[in-house]
Amino acid sequence: MNTRIVIIPTYNEIENIQAIIEKVLSLEPIFDLLIVDDGSPDGTAACVKTLQQAHPDRIHLLERTGKLGLGTAYIAGFKYALAKSYEYIFEMDADFSHNPDDLIRLYDACANQGAFMSIGSRYINGVNVVNWPIGRVLMSYFAGFYVRFITGMPIQDATAGFVCYRRKVLETIPLDQVKFIGYAFQVEMKFTTWKYGFKMIEVPIIFTDRTKGESKMSANIFKEAIFGVIQLKVNSLFKRYQAN
């Protein structure tokens, strides 16, 4: 059985979904796919079902009703992947802002370099972001600085959404207790992984903003991240982190 699965949450990604699936399926070593679709009215899930016919063992689909949030989509995906006995579980966007070829490098960091979490990092080697307005680049970059300052976590790109987990991490973190659903979800998962003492490696990537479809970013997502980081730090003072 294949040990690698890529989780891609979707909402109205009909312009990207076929191309991203075909690209991931073409990689070596092989990666399976789990699409978690939040009731896209544009037919994203229907497209996935059509592609499934040719690859029923490699393309998986979870359909949910309505937009329930990025964090809950990934939690549902994590539980699915753990139940199916995958060892390496990846997060990736559907819009090609994450280069699928970099999945191989994230996998290598976990499989061969001792990481339990590898992070596709936009900022480990300077600023590697293409097609973002300067205001958004600065906001994202300084968000990373803010997270490091508040939490003490030595990660340059704490809000990154391109990640590989070893299953041990996701078995250790109490997934039903993960609180946040937007940008802060990514910070919370990294912070909790770090607090449990798992080795984390940042892998430099070039992030390219989407060219098709619409961004799901909103002011509420950034607000959650700003205040959520403080809450994470305060709550951590009253928790014990002990991996089994």
Side-chain angles (χ1 to χ4, degrees):
M1 177 184 167
N2 180 25
T3 60
R4 296 165 294 276
I5 189 166
V6 182
I7 302 171
I8 301 180
T10 56
Y11 183 78
N12 284 351
E13 291 290 355
I14 192 64
E15 295 177 88
N16 295 302
I17 193 63
Q18 180 169 348
I20 197 76
I21 287 175
E22 290 176 348
K23 176 59 179 177
V24 172
L25 291 181
S26 74
L27 298 174
E28 290 287 344
I30 65 171
F31 295 82
D32 291 350
L33 278 153
L34 170 63
I35 309 302
V36 184
D37 186 70
D38 273 6
S40 297
D42 69 350
T44 298
C47 179
V48 174
K49 289 176 183 176
T50 298
L51 297 170
Q52 270 185 311
Q53 295 173 16
H55 304 279
D57 297 328
R58 295 189 60 194
I59 301 174
H60 308 266
L61 174 65
L62 285 180
E63 291 185 87
R64 309 196 308 165
T65 55
K67 294 180 71 173
L68 302 176
L70 181 73
T72 65
Y74 275 128
I75 295 297
F78 294 159
K79 291 180 177 180
Y80 182 96
L82 291 173
K84 297 293 184 180
S85 300
Y86 286 96
E87 176 64 32
Y88 302 94
I89 300 160
F90 299 78
E91 297 179 4
M92 191 175 75
D93 291 347
D95 59 9
F96 285 94
S97 56
H98 302 141
N99 184 345
D101 289 330
D102 289 330
L103 288 166
I104 298 166
R105 298 168 60 231
L106 292 179
Y107 168 65
D108 180 70
C110 284
N112 301 314
Q113 299 176 42
F116 279 81
M117 172 190 274
S118 57
I119 302 161
S121 178
R122 296 163 290 186
Y123 306 122
I124 191 66
N125 287 341
V127 177
N128 291 301
V129 177
V130 178
N131 291 343
W132 264 8
I134 188 63
R136 189 169 174 187
V137 173
L138 291 173
M139 184 160 45
S140 176
Y141 182 80
F142 284 107
F145 175 82
Y146 171 75
V147 171
R148 291 194 301 278
F149 177 76
I150 297 294
T151 66
M153 179 171 56
I155 297 296
Q156 295 293 316
D157 196 355
T159 61
F162 198 16
V163 180
C164 174
Y165 299 86
R166 294 285 299 267
R167 69 175 290 118
K168 176 69 172 175
V169 175
L170 299 178
E171 288 173 333
T172 300
I173 293 174
L175 296 177
D176 289 330
Q177 296 177 27
V178 174
K179 177 179 177 58
F180 297 110
I181 63 173
Y183 244 30
F185 167 80
Q186 300 294 1
V187 178
E188 183 175 5
M189 290 299 295
K190 295 175 185 66
F191 180 71
T192 309
T193 299
W194 175 62
K195 292 294 285 185
Y196 274 110
F198 290 109
K199 181 179 179 180
M200 306 162 74
I201 292 177
E202 288 188 86
V203 176
I205 65 162
I206 296 175
F207 179 97
T208 304
D209 197 19
R210 67 164 64 234
T211 58
K212 296 180 180 178
E214 294 183 1
S215 173
K216 312 305 188 294
M217 200 60 59
S218 71
N220 286 337
I221 289 175
F222 281 108
K223 183 178 178 181
E224 180 194 67
I226 290 169
F227 294 105
V229 170
I230 297 173
Q231 188 175 347
L232 277 177
K233 178 61 176 180
V234 172
N235 290 347
S236 73
L237 301 176
F238 303 97
K239 287 184 180 181
R240 290 185 61 196
Y241 297 87
Q242 187 171 350
N244 297 326

